[in-house]
Amino acid sequence: MLATMGALGLAPTAEAASREPVFRAPRKSDFTLTGRGAAGVVIVGGGIAGLTAAYELGKAGYDCTVLEARDRTGGRNFTVRGGDSNLDLYGNRQTARFSDGQYLNAGPARIPQWMVTMDYCRELGVPVEVFTNSNANAYIYNEKAGMTAPVRFRTAKADMYGYVSELLAKAAGKGALDGEITAEDQERLLEFLRSFGDIGSRLTYTGSERRGYSVDPGAAGTPGVELGPVPSASEVFSSGVGRYFSFEFGYDQAMLMFQPVGGMDRIPAALTRAIGGHRIRTGAAVEKITDTAHGVTVTYRADGRVRTIHADYCVAALPPNILAKTAHNLGPAVQTALEACRPSSAGKIGLEYRSRWWESDHRIYGGITETDLDLAHIWYPSYGHHGRRGLIVGYYNTGASADSYALLTPREREARAVAQGVKIHGEKYRSELASSFSHHWRQTPYLEASWHSLSGGPDAPVFDPLNKPTGHVYFAGDHLSYADAWQHGAFTSARKTVTALHARVLA
């Protein structure tokens, strides 16, 4: 029996125990030798975790029903297109006026190549394209640090790396590293610094073509004019540009990154089709989850009526802050764990322009501009290059900055974001604007969070009740992963729950 279970992936082998577990989707054939059959499962929440649970369980014939309070699936995977409407908790209603082909990924917008999200795109037939996360031509603008004009990433990096290399080379030359590394290693270090900082044999940074050109190289007679003058080391350090360079080193932010062609919501749309629309009930707001001796009863409201559904098991895939406000009999430890998941704030605004002036005037094709203004990040589209129109993410901010924008009306958000963006891009940032749509997750009904902060991580003792079933109720969501705020976290959490539930049914 143990060997058979091992072959089915339900019992670990010695080899498997020493490495990361590989997910194996349930199959109908798993029941062949058990004399058992698939169970009925009600899944509360139609975000990525809930949809994934229904999709994977459905492969083995489980009778799944997904209850989703909103009028669409996907949860925080929300792509805004022309005609889409939204009403926030402050009473602001917006209807997007984006032209055909333009969209705003208000939630997740990029996929690192190592994440399991890419596997689901492949399996579900969702085509992907490159998302430009890092662009040497994008800008840095730190007004609070005293910058009076934006600087290109390439220029800021050349200056910062150049001066840091010069200072380290000088320290080595004065014997400051003698007690740390050998003379041979110091020479190897100098060899690296000469190239890394472009400081030459004199070990002095004076600038180079790495900073960029004021006149680009061209035909014979046009060698190009290198950008100048070179600021002092003190000016470079005080500008604060260096704080942004480590961003692209992050394991979850390093290129190459991807996005689904046509919008991130192509993923939940594909999952919804694979599950079967008849198994998904939208507009179904769950009001109570009751674990019983033989299963689960879920009470929900739809079309103004209170309804109930009974199932053998339940996967609770609601955001934990919403589940904490939902009546249940799962005990105080579960409630404490749910309340310990702290919701975070984030907001975006999509600015559609009549022309793609950032490409024609600034030579920026995708990527992100960083600033200490309350915009935080400005994203340029990685799709539709050389098209007639384009959409910029005018801010992607978090925390207090996001909360301050959320308090404004949509028109006030647009005015504030554009006024700030003009400081970086000039008057076309205002004059070419066609329309906007802003979205803030703390004010989104039935979600009320962009992601969640779990002190100590999902394996902290307080969250143990959410990492195992309570009666017939299981939990899933990106908050129960080490990739919170990523769809990868929702996918992997759902897989973990599916594996545990399926093993229990087989047993």
Side-chain angles (χ1 to χ4, degrees):
M1 180 180 292
L2 184 63
T4 301
M5 292 180 68
L8 291 173
L10 301 176
T13 62
E15 180 185 4
S18 65
R19 64 176 187 266
E20 182 72 17
V22 176
F23 174 71
R24 177 191 171 283
R27 294 179 292 190
K28 292 181 179 180
S29 60
D30 294 345
F31 296 103
T32 302
L33 300 178
T34 67
R36 301 181 183 276
V41 182
V42 58
I43 297 167
V44 178
I48 295 299
L51 293 176
T52 303
Y55 172 65
E56 297 294 359
L57 289 170
K59 293 176 179 178
Y62 284 83
D63 182 13
C64 296
T65 300
V66 180
L67 302 178
E68 168 54 47
R70 306 187 75 197
D71 60 359
R72 61 171 187 83
T73 58
R76 285 163 289 165
N77 182 326
F78 177 33
T79 299
V80 183
R81 297 182 181 81
D84 288 340
S85 294
N86 189 51
L87 177 67
D88 68 24
L89 295 176
Y90 289 153
N92 296 305
R93 179 173 290 280
Q94 297 178 80
T95 299
R97 295 182 290 113
F98 298 152
S99 58
D100 289 346
Q102 304 302 320
Y103 60 84
L104 166 69
N105 285 322
R110 50 195 168 184
I111 309 171
Q113 57 193 325
W114 61 268
M115 287 188 171
V116 74
T117 311
M118 292 293 288
D119 299 330
Y120 277 95
C121 287
R122 182 191 306 109
E123 181 173 330
L124 295 165
V126 177
V128 297
E129 60 191 357
V130 171
F131 175 92
T132 305
N133 204 39
S134 177
N135 187 339
N137 260 19
Y139 289 116
I140 297 174
Y141 180 65
N142 289 334
E143 185 179 72
K144 297 174 185 176
M147 293 179 66
T148 57
V151 62
R152 303 273 191 180
F153 256 88
R154 72 166 72 253
T155 307
K157 282 184 176 180
D159 291 342
M160 180 64 75
Y161 293 172
Y163 282 124
V164 168
S165 296
E166 177 183 331
L167 291 172
L168 185 53
K170 288 178 177 177
K174 293 182 178 180
L177 303 181
D178 289 352
E180 304 296 328
I181 56 178
T182 65
E184 291 79 6
D185 283 341
Q186 289 188 51
E187 184 53 43
R188 296 185 184 101
L189 173 62
L190 290 175
E191 181 182 2
F192 165 76
L193 294 174
R194 291 186 190 100
S195 173
F196 179 73
D198 203 9
I199 57 177
S201 59
R202 298 179 60 185
L203 305 181
T204 301
Y205 178 67
T206 59
S208 72
E209 54 84 24
R210 293 184 183 181
R211 305 186 72 246
Y213 288 81
S214 57
V215 177
D216 286 329
T222 311
V225 178
E226 291 185 8
L227 201 62
V230 180
S232 67
S234 178
E235 290 173 315
V236 173
F237 295 150
S238 65
S239 69
V241 295
R243 75 183 66 152
Y244 304 111
F245 300 159
S246 62
F247 168 76
E248 63 190 81
F249 296 155
Y251 190 63
D252 60 357
Q253 294 292 350
M255 292 294 288
L256 205 55
M257 302 188 83
F258 292 87
Q259 62 183 13
V261 175
M264 190 62 75
D265 67 349
R266 301 302 196 212
I267 295 175
L271 282 167
T272 298
R273 288 193 300 270
I275 295 165
H278 63 287
R279 295 187 177 277
I280 300 173
R281 303 178 189 177
T282 56
V286 171
E287 296 184 344
K288 187 175 182 180
I289 300 173
T290 305
D291 182 57
T292 69
H294 303 289
V296 181
T297 298
V298 175
T299 304
Y300 66 98
R301 183 177 297 274
D303 300 322
R305 295 176 54 190
V306 176
R307 307 167 187 265
T308 59
I309 183 172
H310 307 281
D312 299 305
Y313 299 96
C314 171
V315 176
L318 289 177
N321 53 310
I322 301 299
L323 191 56
K325 297 188 290 185
T326 304
H328 63 78
N329 68 339
L330 306 179
V334 167
Q335 184 65 20
T336 298
L338 293 171
E339 293 176 356
C341 301
R342 302 299 182 188
S344 298
S345 298
K348 288 181 181 177
I349 188 170
L351 304 173
E352 183 184 0
Y353 287 93
R354 299 181 185 90
S355 67
R356 299 175 76 96
W357 49 263
W358 55 92
E359 293 177 355
S360 58
D361 297 358
H362 298 259
R363 300 290 184 177
I364 298 175
Y365 290 82
I368 302 172
T369 278
E370 303 286 359
T371 177
D372 63 2
L373 301 174
D374 58 17
L375 308 174
H377 316 283
I378 297 175
W379 287 16
Y380 310 95
S382 294
Y383 66 95
H385 299 313
H386 293 170
R388 187 171 64 87
R389 290 192 172 214
L391 185 142
I392 281 179
V393 176
Y395 61 72
Y396 174 18
N397 50 23
T398 60
S401 292
D403 290 339
S404 66
Y405 272 90
L407 291 170
L408 306 176
T409 66
R411 183 59 61 88
E412 290 170 336
R413 296 171 193 165
E414 175 192 291
R416 179 169 167 177
V418 169
Q420 301 272 48
V422 167
K423 299 177 182 179
I424 301 172
H425 293 99
E427 190 55 36
K428 282 191 177 180
Y429 204 83
R430 179 183 288 111
S431 63
E432 288 295 296
L433 183 65
S435 67
S436 72
F437 187 99
S438 50
H439 188 79
H440 294 263
W441 288 104
R442 284 300 297 275
Q443 287 70 47
T444 301
Y446 303 112
L447 294 171
E448 299 181 29
S450 54
W451 51 79
H452 299 83
S453 173
L454 276 62
S455 178
D459 285 321
V462 67
F463 302 115
D464 187 56
L466 304 182
N467 287 309
K468 60 185 180 182
T470 296
H472 300 85
V473 178
Y474 291 75
F475 304 91
D478 65 289
H479 57 288
L480 296 176
S481 78
Y482 286 94
D484 57 299
W486 293 98
Q487 293 173 101
H488 172 86
F491 280 123
T492 55
S493 175
R495 284 179 163 190
K496 178 175 180 288
T497 295
V498 165
T499 299
L501 193 157
H502 186 48
R504 178 174 176 179
V505 173
L506 290 177

